[in-house]
Amino acid sequence: MDTDGAPVELDVEEPKVPEDEPPSDGGGGGIAEKTPEELIAKAIAPVKREFLRPPPIRPCSNSNETNDAASGTKSAPSSSLLKEKKSKRQLKRERLQEKKSALHLCPEVARSGDASSCRYNEKCRFSHDVEAFKAQKPDDLEGVCPFMSAEVPCPYGLACRFSGTHKDGFSADLNGRKENPEMNGLKKDVQHLLWKNKMRFPKADAQLKLLGLMGKINSKSKTSSDKEEGEKATSNGSSVNDKNGSDVVACDSNNQTDDNPQLPKEEDYAAPTFASDELSRPMKKVKSCADEDYCPEELDNGWFIFYGTYYCHIVLEKDLEKSCSQTESGTTTECISTETDGSLKSHPREKKLIDFREKLYLAPLTTVGNLPFRRVCKVLGADVTCGEMAMCTNLLQGQASEWALLRRHSSEDLFGVQICGAYPDTVTRTVELIDQECTVDFIDINMGCPIDIVVNKGAGSALLMKPMRMKSIVQATSTTVDRPITIKVRTAYFEGKNRIDSLIEDIGQWGANAVTIHGRSRQQRYSKLADWEYIYQCARKAPNALQVLGNGDVFSYLDWNKHKFDCPELSTCMVARGALVKPWIFTEIKEQRHWDISSGERLSILKDYARFGLEHWGSDAKGVETTRHFLLEWLSYTCRYIPVGLLDVIPQRMNWRPPSYFGRDDLETLMASDSASDWIKISEMLLGKVPDGFTFAPKHKSNSYDRAENG
């Protein structure tokens, strides 16, 4: 996992451009002799001849040497020395000793400046030696502490890399701090419940039962040992993990008590089709529903009304007199009393829906689509933002790094989160959990991720081959929560076998508020241009209640205008790689102009990103380096931008490969470099010198011909 929780292998949204071979003639020579039309035909950007230059010569070397070239260090030959194998206990001991070093000052001591302020005293795993920390601490960075500029006490105190700008050298009392502008953090009590498998999902479980999507336990009588094991089990339903990491849920009919004899039996629900080995282990016992509003309880007079997959629960007076407290294994569970008006479950069409029409939507982008980047895009004109894709199983396990992907800034006024899961039970419980613990405007379900690690688990693009499972996921989630549910898909799994057009009419009836169609297949990944004609075809076939959003290769306001003009049925277009390469694309679309942005203006945007990153990840040494890491990841995309004033033909297209060229000033030339060593130089302009031994290689190449070396 990354520092902000982004999955390492999940290259979800738009990490590459067409996978073509680089031009054989490189920069100056042959390209300068070709006309702009000839260059465009070969997908080479038509840069004006006076700015062209021969490509830089980089010696062939192995990755270790190139990494050392960027950091300015020399490494010992890797073949001659073998690393000593260390036990886990030894590694843990070394980590604890490292934390005890003077450079790792206790956070409480750093905030107060008093070595006796830590309540753990000698047992604290961090150092309390303030003087030794000051002696070894590197010099402060230039600028002002980002928390001071926000007029709030710095939470890092002496550890802050800008501590010289603090009034008293350390932070004030945090009790006077303003409200945190970030929300959707994971509460400790919720995390502990998830860790202990004790989180309950009454709404999700009720809907899964109603739709016949929950597994059932063998109806044979249990032994006493089985019952004792069942009593220890918890009620979050994640009892059995199959080989794909999804949760299979089981309810126990023995859980019914005399106080509530009318709960439906497990035999009333059909079991899903799972492999036999998935149900071989004993399943945990699930407590009775905690919310009678969502329990499909059959009343004495038989009143139980179905409307397709939605139901209305008619309440009798005697039901209101029932006690809603049940005691199981020493734990008292409170039930919510039913309302007398009978309007228990709203139809999906009665939900508060979101109108995406004409709104500028920043796509969820793995790794680089973090909170500081979204803040930059909001400043530059984005209307809708969405968090990075989070895996459902990780969220249900209470992983803090995964929950970090759900964080929202107060400036994101229309914000959604994107989740990815393989099975209805996992996704539905995650949706209920997010609805309960987070402040979001909509929840997007990813059904188009092409990455192998996701597809092999049955999630992402794998769902495109299982439309019935897609239906189950959308139906269960949309009827569990009142927030709008949207989905993101690709045209198909296999190239040339598009299938979304055959499902588009059904998707709206399943309960989805909107569907985003990425105009490429899973097999196609990110090669070739997006098929917008097929997106138009799907948009025209969609029912009026379903909003269709297009995605793929939007790189200028002309692209935006063309798609909206060619297909008025499209609600809007999602911007992904275009925002990574030039985040001011939102300003261009709103102002309907090509912005010939200067290098100084681009540097100001990077400065804003660095400030937002320090506020988000911290202004101490660790926060500075985390900000640097994600800044470098972003710079691996921005280097593909070609200034408007340097082009013979505008606007720049997504599939154009930039030749080697000079900028109009040294900074513009530096920003055009595809060398990681130059990206590091830019980061040093904003965040100071890199630590000794620092290396960087982009996680995702911004294009197929990009050089990932550090030299």
Side-chain angles (χ1 to χ4, degrees):
M1 289 290 173
D2 285 338
T3 307
D4 72 340
V8 171
E9 295 88 353
L10 303 187
D11 195 356
V12 176
E13 283 305 323
E14 298 283 357
K16 293 184 181 179
V17 299
E19 299 178 0
D20 299 319
E21 292 298 325
S24 59
D25 48 3
I31 289 182
E33 300 172 359
K34 291 183 173 63
T35 64
E37 292 75 15
E38 292 174 335
L39 293 174
I40 293 174
K42 292 188 174 183
I44 301 173
V47 175
K48 293 178 180 178
R49 295 183 181 182
E50 58 266 31
F51 296 104
L52 290 174
R53 70 170 181 177
I57 299 175
R58 294 186 176 92
C60 295
S61 57
N62 59 43
S63 58
N64 291 333
E65 292 173 351
T66 53
N67 284 345
D68 296 334
S71 59
T73 61
K74 293 183 180 180
S75 60
S78 57
S79 58
S80 59
L81 295 176
L82 294 176
K83 288 186 177 180
E84 180 186 356
K85 267 191 137 182
K86 299 178 181 179
S87 64
K88 291 183 178 180
R89 181 176 297 179
Q90 185 177 358
L91 292 173
K92 182 179 180 181
R93 188 183 304 115
E94 290 178 357
R95 285 196 300 269
L96 292 175
Q97 290 175 352
E98 183 182 357
K99 286 186 177 181
K100 278 284 187 181
S101 68
L103 280 176
H104 290 77
L105 189 65
C106 173
E108 287 294 332
V109 175
R111 278 195 286 267
S112 64
D114 183 7
S116 62
S117 61
C118 178
R119 59 177 178 172
Y120 297 104
N121 298 323
E122 297 289 336
K123 297 181 180 180
C124 181
R125 55 181 178 171
F126 296 101
S127 170
H128 288 179
D129 193 340
V130 176
E131 296 302 323
F133 173 79
K134 290 181 178 179
Q136 297 187 25
K137 182 185 175 184
D139 295 337
D140 283 356
L141 300 176
E142 295 182 4
V144 180
C145 175
F147 298 98
M148 294 294 104
S149 61
E151 298 182 353
V152 295
C154 176
Y156 297 94
L158 291 173
C160 177
R161 292 296 306 276
F162 304 88
S163 60
T165 61
H166 297 171
K167 294 179 181 179
D168 301 322
F170 53 88
S171 70
D173 186 5
L174 293 181
N175 294 331
R177 185 178 178 182
K178 293 182 180 179
E179 185 179 356
N180 190 348
E182 295 184 10
M183 57 196 82
N184 295 350
L186 177 59
K187 300 174 184 176
K188 279 296 180 185
D189 55 344
V190 174
Q191 187 178 37
H192 291 158
L193 287 174
L194 293 172
W195 283 350
K196 296 177 181 179
N197 208 20
K198 290 184 178 180
M199 196 71 185
R200 303 194 63 188
F201 306 95
K203 299 179 184 179
D205 290 348
Q207 286 302 319
L208 291 168
K209 288 179 183 178
L210 188 65
L211 297 174
L213 298 174
M214 294 186 72
K216 62 179 182 180
I217 268 204
N218 193 339
S219 58
K220 293 181 180 180
S221 59
K222 294 184 176 182
T223 62
S224 58
S225 60
D226 292 335
K227 292 180 181 179
E228 291 176 0
E229 182 180 358
E231 291 175 357
K232 296 178 183 179
T234 57
S235 59
N236 71 342
S238 333
S239 55
V240 178
N241 284 349
D242 68 358
K243 59 185 177 182
N244 287 333
S246 64
D247 296 330
V248 181
V249 184
C251 285
D252 187 357
S253 58
N254 294 332
N255 192 43
Q256 301 178 16
T257 62
D258 295 337
D259 294 332
N260 195 6
Q262 296 174 350
L263 287 177
K265 297 180 180 180
E266 285 299 323
E267 288 76 4
D268 296 336
Y269 301 105
T273 56
F274 294 111
S276 57
D277 58 337
E278 295 177 356
L279 298 177
S280 57
R281 294 189 297 173
M283 298 184 180
K284 294 184 179 179
K285 180 178 177 182
V286 177
K287 297 179 183 177
S288 58
C289 292
D291 188 347
E292 288 189 0
D293 282 352
Y294 297 92
C295 291
E297 179 179 358
E298 184 180 358
L299 304 180
D300 290 342
N301 61 358
W303 283 93
F304 194 84
I305 303 178
F306 286 84
Y307 295 101
T309 57
Y310 317 107
Y311 64 91
C312 179
H313 191 173
I314 308 302
V315 182
L316 300 180
E317 292 182 0
K318 64 179 182 178
D319 294 318
L320 300 178
E321 300 173 357
K322 278 188 178 182
S323 171
C324 289
S325 298
Q326 299 179 15
T327 303
E328 294 182 15
S329 303
T331 303
T332 301
T333 304
E334 295 295 333
C335 293
I336 301 174
S337 62
T338 11
E339 298 293 334
T340 56
D341 60 0
S343 56
L344 295 176
K345 192 68 180 174
S346 61
H347 191 279
R349 294 290 169 258
E350 300 173 2
K351 294 180 179 180
K352 180 182 177 183
L353 304 181
I354 294 179
D355 188 1
F356 290 100
R357 286 176 295 183
E358 307 301 328
K359 290 184 172 63
L360 303 184
Y361 190 161
L362 171 65
L365 301 160
T366 297
T367 303
V368 276
N370 44 59
L371 185 145
F373 176 77
R374 299 197 303 270
R375 288 185 65 184
V376 168
C377 292
K378 283 296 296 182
V379 172
L380 293 170
D383 297 319
V384 184
T385 54
C386 188
E388 304 170 63
M389 187 187 77
M391 300 302 295
C392 291
T393 49
N394 295 341
L395 294 175
L396 292 175
Q397 291 169 3
Q399 293 185 13
S401 57
E402 204 76 11
W403 275 83
L405 305 179
L406 309 182
R407 296 298 290 266
R408 172 184 188 173
H409 193 266
S410 58
S411 63
E412 298 180 270
D413 48 358
L414 191 51
F415 173 78
V417 295
Q418 187 182 74
I419 59 175
C420 184
Y423 294 95
D425 54 351
T426 313
V427 180
T428 307
R429 290 188 182 88
T430 305
V431 166
E432 181 180 354
L433 183 62
I434 292 173
D435 181 69
Q436 178 181 344
E437 300 298 328
C438 300
T439 304
V440 298
D441 297 298
F442 64 94
I443 300 174
D444 187 65
I445 303 174
N446 188 305
M447 297 184 178
C449 176
I451 303 305
D452 294 339
I453 193 174
V454 175
V455 173
N456 291 342
K457 291 183 178 180
S461 294
L463 292 172
L464 297 175
M465 298 188 296
K466 300 181 179 180
M468 293 308 296
R469 188 178 294 178
M470 289 176 62
K471 174 183 178 181
S472 300
I473 290 175
V474 176
Q475 278 188 338
T477 54
S478 62
T479 52
T480 297
V481 298
D482 291 331
R483 301 188 193 277
I485 299 295
T486 66
I487 65 174
K488 190 169 188 291
V489 298
R490 286 184 170 236
T491 58
Y493 189 90
F494 296 107
E495 182 68 15
K497 296 184 179 180
N498 294 339
R499 68 179 313 169
I500 296 301
D501 58 316
S502 62
L503 299 174
I504 196 70
E505 294 182 2
D506 297 326
I507 290 176
Q509 309 210 348
W510 296 343
N513 178 208
V515 56
T516 301
I517 303 175
H518 183 174
R520 294 181 174 93
S521 65
R522 189 265 172 175
Q523 191 176 26
Q524 187 179 346
R525 293 292 182 103
Y526 298 94
S527 63
K528 304 179 184 178
L529 294 175
D531 186 356
W532 276 91
E533 289 300 325
Y534 182 72
I535 296 176
Y536 300 158
Q537 177 185 342
C538 295
R540 295 185 182 108
K541 293 183 65 175
N544 294 332
L546 179 67
Q547 300 179 74
V548 178
L549 291 70
N551 175 219
D553 304 332
V554 177
F555 203 38
S556 69
Y557 80 91
L558 295 179
D559 294 333
W560 173 279
N561 293 349
K562 181 182 185 302
H563 299 322
K564 291 295 296 175
F565 177 80
D566 291 347
C567 184
E569 292 83 0
L570 272 178
S571 292
T572 189
C573 302
M574 182 181 281
V575 185
R577 272 182 302 171
L580 289 179
V581 178
K582 55 172 191 178
W584 53 91
I585 185 176
F586 301 107
T587 305
E588 290 185 341
I589 295 173
K590 286 192 171 180
E591 298 181 0
Q592 292 289 291
R593 67 183 177 98
H594 297 298
W595 185 359
D596 189 8
I597 189 170
S598 66
S599 59
E601 291 171 317
R602 293 170 65 185
L603 186 63
S604 296
I605 294 175
L606 296 178
K607 286 181 179 178
D608 287 341
Y609 178 86
R611 177 165 55 87
F612 296 155
L614 292 174
E615 291 178 11
H616 179 60
W617 290 300
S619 57
D620 60 344
K622 181 179 180 181
V624 169
E625 294 313 310
T626 302
T627 302
R628 188 193 307 276
H629 169 78
F630 287 104
L631 173 63
L632 291 171
E633 290 285 356
W634 183 24
L635 289 174
S636 69
Y637 292 90
T638 59
C639 66
R640 294 195 62 245
Y641 172 71
I642 305 173
V644 173
L646 274 61
L647 288 171
D648 274 326
V649 178
I650 57 175
Q652 180 183 355
R653 299 293 180 183
M654 184 66 73
N655 64 327
W656 287 359
R657 300 188 296 273
S660 183
Y661 64 89
F662 292 104
R664 290 166 291 189
D665 54 50
D666 291 341
L667 181 57
E668 196 167 73
T669 303
L670 185 66
M671 290 179 169
S673 173
D674 62 354
S675 171
S677 61
D678 290 327
W679 305 336
I680 292 173
K681 291 178 184 176
I682 296 174
S683 76
E684 290 180 331
M685 297 168 62
L686 305 171
L687 299 168
K689 286 288 185 181
V690 297
D692 294 337
F694 179 85
T695 60
F696 173 75
K699 184 177 301 178
H700 311 303
K701 292 184 179 180
S702 59
N703 49 65
S704 60
Y705 58 92
D706 188 16
R707 298 174 180 84
E709 307 96 47
N710 292 336

